[in-house]
Amino acid sequence: MAQFPEEPIYEQLARVGKALSSPVRLRLLDVLDQRERTVEELAQAAEIPLKNTSAQLQQLRAAHLVTSRREGTRVYYRLTDERVSRFLGELQGFAHDRLADLRDAVRSRLGALEGVTADELARRLADPGTVVVDVRSATDYAAGHVPGAISVPLSDLRDHLDDLPKEAEIVAYCGGPYCVVSPEAVRLLREHGYAARPLDGGFLGWRRGEKPLER
């Protein structure tokens, strides 16, 4: 018996909260927000065991946060729609404002590098003194990137430093707001005398801000 008349309603509402109550599922949602992937690709990108990835996807599907499509023998997973992406962005922003422990965790993991906001970068895209570098994989880059960005995966960056102009400011970005790759890229660039900053929020911050994309 329900404890109060509206309990069945709140039970349904709580399904979304339960689906978001796992750090692993939140990580999977951020990775899927960048582009659709097979379960194997998702497990590799999220650095989560394959079996666990499959189990967590089922819970996300049950809450209608994730959907899938079949192409031959492959099944591709993606966010159900853009409202899920916007909701995740709002959730992360709300939590960042409310939780000092989250802000401390972000600083501890990413460092205290001053970033470039998506709005600022959008104004500077036509500026020849700004060079945008996408340090994600070539596949992620091909699926969508900041207009004019150069694809230089972090693993290749050291070998391509001489290809980047020393007189420009380099803005590097990776996948999402908690991605550690672009801060690593910025530190490497600065060590070699480049002016460099990360893009706040990464690719997801750019896309969730409804900024233009190239494919």
Side-chain angles (χ1 to χ4, degrees):
M1 180 179 295
Q3 297 181 26
F4 50 91
E6 301 87 355
E7 184 174 358
I9 298 173
Y10 285 104
E11 282 182 350
Q12 294 303 311
L13 184 61
R15 291 175 59 190
V16 175
K18 289 178 181 177
L20 299 174
S21 66
S22 161
V24 171
R25 291 194 287 274
L26 288 170
R27 168 68 171 150
L28 293 175
L29 288 170
D30 262 358
V31 175
L32 284 177
D33 200 359
Q34 297 174 51
R35 65 176 175 90
E36 66 174 9
R37 303 173 194 261
T38 65
V39 64
E40 293 84 6
E41 292 171 337
L42 181 57
Q44 181 178 11
E47 300 180 285
I48 297 169
L50 180 61
K51 185 176 181 180
N52 190 17
T53 299
S54 296
Q56 303 300 337
L57 279 173
Q58 299 315 307
Q59 296 194 50
L60 292 171
R61 289 187 67 178
H64 301 284
L65 298 173
V66 166
T67 188
S68 63
R69 67 175 181 89
R70 183 176 293 275
E71 186 175 299
T73 60
R74 291 177 171 242
V75 177
Y76 289 87
Y77 293 88
R78 65 184 186 276
L79 299 191
T80 303
D81 52 43
E82 281 298 315
R83 293 182 65 191
V84 178
S85 177
R86 292 195 296 269
F87 178 74
L88 292 171
E90 290 291 335
L91 173 65
Q92 291 167 356
F94 181 83
H96 186 87
D97 292 341
R98 298 285 171 149
L99 302 175
D101 288 345
L102 173 59
R103 296 192 293 273
D104 290 342
V106 171
R107 281 193 295 268
S108 175
R109 194 76 178 96
L110 305 185
L113 294 170
E114 179 185 356
V116 177
T117 67
D119 287 340
E120 178 185 352
L121 181 58
R123 292 192 296 268
R124 294 173 56 183
L125 284 182
D127 179 3
T130 301
V131 174
V132 185
V133 176
D134 186 322
V135 295
R136 301 175 299 157
S137 71
T139 304
D140 288 342
Y141 174 87
H145 55 268
V146 174
I150 301 168
S151 176
V152 188
L154 179 63
S155 58
D156 300 333
L157 182 58
R158 189 177 295 274
D159 294 332
H160 289 276
L161 289 173
D162 292 340
D163 298 334
L164 301 173
K166 275 284 182 68
E167 66 276 8
E169 180 178 52
I170 298 172
V171 179
Y173 70 88
C174 51
Y178 311 127
C179 176
V180 301
V181 178
S182 57
E184 290 180 14
V186 167
R187 284 188 280 268
L188 175 63
L189 288 163
R190 290 184 176 184
E191 287 171 4
H192 288 80
Y194 292 86
R197 289 194 287 166
L199 173 62
D200 288 342
F203 175 74
L204 288 185
W206 178 267
R207 195 172 67 75
R208 288 169 178 168
E210 299 183 347
K211 298 296 188 289
L213 294 176
E214 282 184 349
R215 289 183 173 85

